[in-house]
C-alpha cells in the first residue's frame, strides 16, 4: 500500500452538473481542476473545488468512508459513492479524461449534486413497512432463531440507503411508481426474518401491487450499482419465489402464472413454446389457459403485432400451434430432474454472498489449462 | 474452430431468422457448429426465480453435454439472455465444489457430470476474442459503408460485469460497437443502447414494457440511426415484433429496423438479404438495404 499513498498530487479536471431549481436557470456544466494524490476520493476532489473555487457547489456528505450513504452521485454516468471512488480510477473511466459528475437519477434535484431522497427513496422505504411485526406472544427474553436465518438476511442489512440502485433503476425510469430495488431489498429483510408474523401479508401486498415485485424488469442495474453487494434484484427474485412456492399467492399481475407457465412448458417440451407462454400467463397454466377471458382480451390487443408476424412469415401457423421439443429420451431425463428437485421438502439454495467461493477466480483461471484444456482459451 | 453450439429456444421459435442466419454465417468464419440438440431451455432467469437448484441443474446438464463434444474449443450461444442465465448458474456451480457435487448427483442417472471451468461465449464475444476484428474485417465483401447502426446490447450480456468477465482487458460491453466498425458501418450512440428492452415484464406491466422499447427506439430515431443490431432475440421481440404496439404507447412513428447480430455480419460478408431472413421482420429493413440491387446503406 505504501507506494500507492506515496504518489505525488496530480491534477484532475471535474465536470460538474450544476442546477439550482429556484434560480429559474437551466442546468449547466461547470469545470474545475483540482490537485490531489491519485488515491484520494472524488468527494475530496469536489470538496476542494468547493473550498478553492466556488463555495456554492451543492454536495451532501458526512462520514467519508462509505458507511453513511450520503454522497451518492453519478461518476461518468455510473452511480457511485463519491467517497468510495478514487480519482485515478474515475479519470481512467472518463471518456475524455475529464471526470463527469452528475446528481443521481430518478429523483428530483434540490441543488447541484443533492437530490430529494425524501420524495422518492424514503417514501418507497416507508411503503414496505420497514420494521418487525413480531410474532405473538413476544417471549419474555429474546427470540431464539436459527443462526442461518439471520445470516440469510445480513445481505439486505448491509444496505446503507445511499439510493444508488434507485438512481439507475430502469423500471422506475418508465414507471416512477415502482416500489423499487432498495425498498424491496428492505422488504426481504423482514420477509426472511423468522420472528416476523406477517410474511404472507407482506408478500400478498407486494405481489398484488401492479408496481410491486412483478414490476422489476430483471435488468441487473441495481446489482451493478450497489456499493455494498446487497444484490437488490436477487432479493426481489427471492420474494417472488417465496410468494409463489411457499405462500402460493396468485397475483393479479400475471407474475406467478407466467413463472408457472414457463416452468411447465419447459418441463413438457424441453424448450420454451412461446406461442403458449403468453396466453397461459394471462389465462392460467394449462392448455385451456388461452380460452380464458383474460387471455382472449390480451390476444385481441396484440393482434396487430401477431398479424404482421404471420404476414411476414416470421411466425407460421404450424410453428405457433406445435411446440418444438427435444428428443424423447432427453425430455424424460429433464422431467426426472424436475421431479427429483421439485419433490424436495426444502428448496436448496446457494447464496455466494454468504457461502463465499471455494477458490478465488484468479486461481481458477491459472489452473484451468491443466484440467482438460477447454478452459484455457477463455481468458486472453 | 469447432464449438458446442447452443441456439436457445426463441431462435428456433419466434425468431427463426436468427438461427438460420447463424447457420449461414458460421462456415464463412470457419466456425463448425455442433448443435446441442439434446439440451433444454436455460430458463431465462424465470426458472431460477421459480427454483434456483432446478435452473442450475438443467444448465449443468447442458454444460456437461457441451463438454462431451469432441474437439470443441468452447460452448457458443446466440442469445444474450441465454448467456446471462447460464453465466449465473455457472458462477454458483464453479464457486462451490460441494454444491457442484450435489447438482452432479442429480445428473448421474444419465451418466453426465459437469466439470468446473467451461468456457461459454456469446457469438459476439467469440467474434472479437476468438476470430478477431482484423480477421473479420478481412472477410468483408460488402462493407456497411454509410450504414448508421445503433448497437442494442441487452441487459444480460453487460451486467453484472464481474460475473460476465467484463474488465479493462475484456471490454465486452463495447464489442458490438467494434464489430459494427469492423464491418465498415458507423456506430450510432444513443441513450438506450445498454438499457432494458422491457421484454421481461411484457406480461406483467405491458405499458411500462412497451414504453421502454418505444423510448429506446425513439432515441435511436433521434440519433438518426438507420437500424439497430442486437445479440438478443428477446430484445428483438420487444423492439421489432412489438414495435407497432410500442409506437402507440410512446405516441410517435418509429419505423426502426432491428437486425440480429448474425444478420448484420452476414450482410457484410456478402450473403443474400432474403437468405438471412431480413424479409421476415415486422419492421422492414428498407433503410438498410435496397432490395433490387442488394446495396447496403444506399437506400437510407
Amino acid at each position: 500500500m505504501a507506494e500507492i499513498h506515496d504518489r505525488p498530487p496530480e491534477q484532475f479536471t471535474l465536470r460538474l452538473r450544476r442546477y439550482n431549481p429556484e434560480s429559474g436557470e437551466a442546468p449547466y456544466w461547470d469545470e474545475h481542476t483540482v490537485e490531489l494524490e491519485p488515491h484520494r476520493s472524488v468527494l475530496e476532489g469536489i470538496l476542494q473545488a468547493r473550498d478553492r473555487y466556488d463555495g456554492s457547489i451543492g454536495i451532501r456528505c458526512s462520514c467519508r468512508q462509505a458507511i453513511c450513504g450520503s454522497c451518492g452521485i453519478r461518476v461518468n454516468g455510473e452511480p457511485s459513492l463519491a467517497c468510495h471512488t478514487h480519482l485515478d480510477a474515475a479519470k481512467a473511466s472518463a471518456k475524455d479524461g475529464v471526470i463527469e459528475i452528475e446528481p443521481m437519477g430518478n429523483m428530483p434535484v434540490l441543488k447541484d449534486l443533492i437530490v430529494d431522497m425524501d420524495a422518492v427513496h424514503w417514501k418507497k422505504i416507508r411503503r414496505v413497512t420497514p420494521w418487525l411485526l413480531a410474532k405473538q406472544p413476544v417471549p419474555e427474553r429474546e427470540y431464539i432463531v436459527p443462526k442461518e436465518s439471520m445470516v440469510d438476511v445480513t445481505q439486505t442489512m448491509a444496505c446503507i440507503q445511499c439510493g444508488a440502485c434507485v438512481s439507475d433503476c430502469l423500471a422506475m425510469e418508465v414507471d416512477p411508481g415502482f416500489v423499487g430495488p432498495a425498498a424491496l431489498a428492505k422488504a426481504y429483510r423482514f420477509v426472511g426474518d423468522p420472528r416476523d408474523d406477517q410474511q404472507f401479508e407482506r408478500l400478498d401486498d407486494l405481489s398484488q401491487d401492479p408496481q410491486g415485485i412483478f414490476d422489476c424488469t430483471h435488468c441487473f442495474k441495481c446489482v451493478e450499482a450497489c456499493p455494498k453487494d446487497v444484490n437488490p434484484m436477487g432479493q426481489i427474485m427471492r420474494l417472488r419465489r417465496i410468494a409463489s412456492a411457499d405462500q402460493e399467492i396468485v397475483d393479479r399481475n400475471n407474475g406467478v402464472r407466467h413463472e408457472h407457465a414457463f416452468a411447465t412448458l419447459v418441463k413438457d417440451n424441453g424448450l420454451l413454446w412461446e406461442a403458449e407462454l403468453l396466453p397461459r400467463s394471462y389465462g392460467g397454466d394449462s392448455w385451456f389457459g388461452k380460452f380464458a377471458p383474460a387471455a382472449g382480451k390480451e390476444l385481441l390487443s396484440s393482434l396487430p403485432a401477431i398479424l404482421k408476424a404471420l404476414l411476414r412469415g416470421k411466425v407460421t401457423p404450424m410453428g405457433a400451434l406445435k411446440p418444438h421439443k427435444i428428443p424423447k429420451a432427453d425430455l424424460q431425463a429433464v422431467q426426472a430432474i424436475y421431479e427429483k428437485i421439485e419433490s424436495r421438502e426444502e428448496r436448496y439454495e446457494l447464496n455466494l454472498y454468504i457461502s463465499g467461493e471455494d477458490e478465488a477466480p484468479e486461481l481458477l483461471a491459472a489452473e484451468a489449462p491443466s484440467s482438460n484444456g477447454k478452459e484455457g482459451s477463455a481468458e486472453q | 474452430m469447432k464449438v458446442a453450439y447452443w441456439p436457445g429456444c426463441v431462435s428456433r421459435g419466434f425468431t427463426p431468422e436468427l438461427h438460420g442466419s447463424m447457420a449461414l454465417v458460421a462456415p464463412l468464419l470457419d466456425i463448425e457448429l455442433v448443435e446441442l440438440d439434446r439440451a433444454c431451455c436455460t430458463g431465462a432467469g424465470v426458472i431460477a426465480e421459480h427454483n434456483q437448484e432446478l435452473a442450475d441443474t438443467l444448465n449443468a446438464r447442458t454444460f456437461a453435454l457441451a463438454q462431451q463434444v469432441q474437439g470443441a474449443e468452447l460452448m457458443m450461444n446466440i442469445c444474450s439472455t441465454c448467456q446471462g442465465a447460464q453465466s449465473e448458474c455457472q458462477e454458483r456451480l464453479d464457486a462451490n465444489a460441494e454444491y457442484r457435487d450435489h447438482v452432479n448427483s442429480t445428473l448421474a442417472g444419465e451418466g453426465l457430470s459437469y466439470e468446473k471451468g467451461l468456457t461459454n461465449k456469446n457469438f459476439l464475444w467469440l467474434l472479437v476474442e476468438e476470430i478477431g476484428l482484423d480477421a473479420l474485417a478481412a472477410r468483408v465483401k460488402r462493407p456497411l459503408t454509410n450504414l448508421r447502426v445503433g448497437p442494442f446490447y441487452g441487459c444480460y450480456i453487460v451486467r453484472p460485469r464481474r460475473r460476465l468477465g467484463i474488465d479493462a482487458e475484456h471490454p465486452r460491453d463495447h464489442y458490438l460497437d467494434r464489430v459494427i466498425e469492423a464491418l465498415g458501418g458507423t456506430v450510432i450512440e444513443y441513450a438506450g443502447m445498454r438499457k432494458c428492452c422491457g421484454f421481461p415484464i411484457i406480461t406483467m406491466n405491458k405499458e411500462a414494457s412497451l414504453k421502454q422499447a418505444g423510448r429506446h427506439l425513439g432515441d435511436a430515431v433521434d440519433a438518426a440511426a438507420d437500424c439497430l443490431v442486437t445479440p438478443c432475440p428477446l430484445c428483438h421481440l420487444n423492439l421489432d415484433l412489438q414495435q407497432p404496439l410500442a409506437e402507440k404507447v410512446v405516441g410517435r412513428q418509429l419505423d426502426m429496423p432491428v437486425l440480429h447480430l448474425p444478420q448484420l455480419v452476414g450482410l457484410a460478408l456478402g450473403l443474400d438479404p432474403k437468405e438471412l431472413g431480413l424479409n421476415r421482420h415486422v419492421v422492414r429493413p428498407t433503410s438498410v438495404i435496397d432490395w433490387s440491387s442488394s446495396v447496403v446503406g444506399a437506400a437510407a
Side-chain angles (χ1 to χ4, degrees), chain B residues 101-119:
Chain B
D101 290 345
H102 170 80
V103 168
N104 275 334
S105 72
T106 307
L107 300 180
E110 248 190 303
L112 291 172
S113 179
Y114 166 61
E115 263 185 70
K116 177 175 77 178
L118 173 80
T119 299

Side-chain angles (χ1 to χ4, degrees), chain A residues 169-320:
Chain A
C169 174
L170 294 178
M172 216 182 275
E173 191 176 272
V174 290
D175 187 8
F178 174 42
V179 178
L184 291 174
K186 178 58 80 185
Y188 184 77
R189 161 68 187 83
F190 300 101
V191 164
D193 190 322
R195 298 169 301 171
D196 194 89
D197 190 43
Q198 306 279 313
Q199 190 185 74
F200 173 82
E201 289 79 0
R202 287 176 187 276
L203 288 169
D204 193 48
D205 171 34
L206 293 171
S207 302
Q208 304 299 353
D209 186 339
Q211 295 168 319
I213 51 177
F214 293 109
D215 206 17
C216 163
T217 67
H218 213 272
C219 73
F220 299 94
K221 266 280 189 183
C222 58
V223 180
E224 197 65 26
C226 180
K228 294 289 169 182
D229 204 9
V230 168
N231 186 12
M233 194 193 94
Q235 311 303 341
I236 297 171
M237 294 308 131
R238 300 167 93 190
L239 291 171
R240 289 184 182 180
R241 196 145 60 218
I242 299 168
S244 156
D246 299 345
Q247 298 290 0
E248 298 179 348
I249 294 164
V250 179
D251 61 290
R252 57 181 176 160
N253 304 303
N254 312 313
V256 167
R257 271 192 299 274
H258 176 76
E259 174 217 305
H260 283 175
F262 198 115
T264 304
L265 287 166
V266 173
K267 185 182 179 183
D268 290 347
N269 305 296
L271 299 170
L272 186 63
W273 184 9
E274 309 101 311
E276 271 292 297
L277 179 62
L278 285 172
R280 287 192 192 192
S281 298
Y282 287 92
D285 181 20
S286 85
W287 187 81
F288 296 102
K290 53 183 156 303
F291 302 112
K297 193 169 151 244
E298 171 51 31
L299 287 178
L300 208 62
S301 81
S302 294
L303 217 53
I306 296 169
L307 286 177
K308 245 188 183 161
L310 286 167
L311 194 70
R312 297 282 151 81
K314 180 176 180 60
V315 179
T316 61
M318 270 323 279

Side-chain angles (χ1 to χ4, degrees), chain B residues 172-219:
Chain B
R172 291 172 162 177
D173 52 347
H174 287 79
Y175 282 0
L176 211 41
D177 302 44
R178 295 183 179 183
V179 168
I180 294 166
E181 280 166 5
L183 301 176
T186 307
V187 178
I188 300 300
E189 294 201 356
Y190 61 103
M193 59 196 277
R194 288 185 192 83
K195 289 187 180 177
C196 176
C197 70
F199 185 77
I201 53 166
I202 189 77
T203 56
M204 279 83 106
N205 186 341
K206 197 169 185 177
E207 184 169 350
S209 170
L210 293 175
K211 202 185 264 185
Q212 288 188 301
R215 275 194 191 175
H216 307 329
L217 290 161
D219 286 343

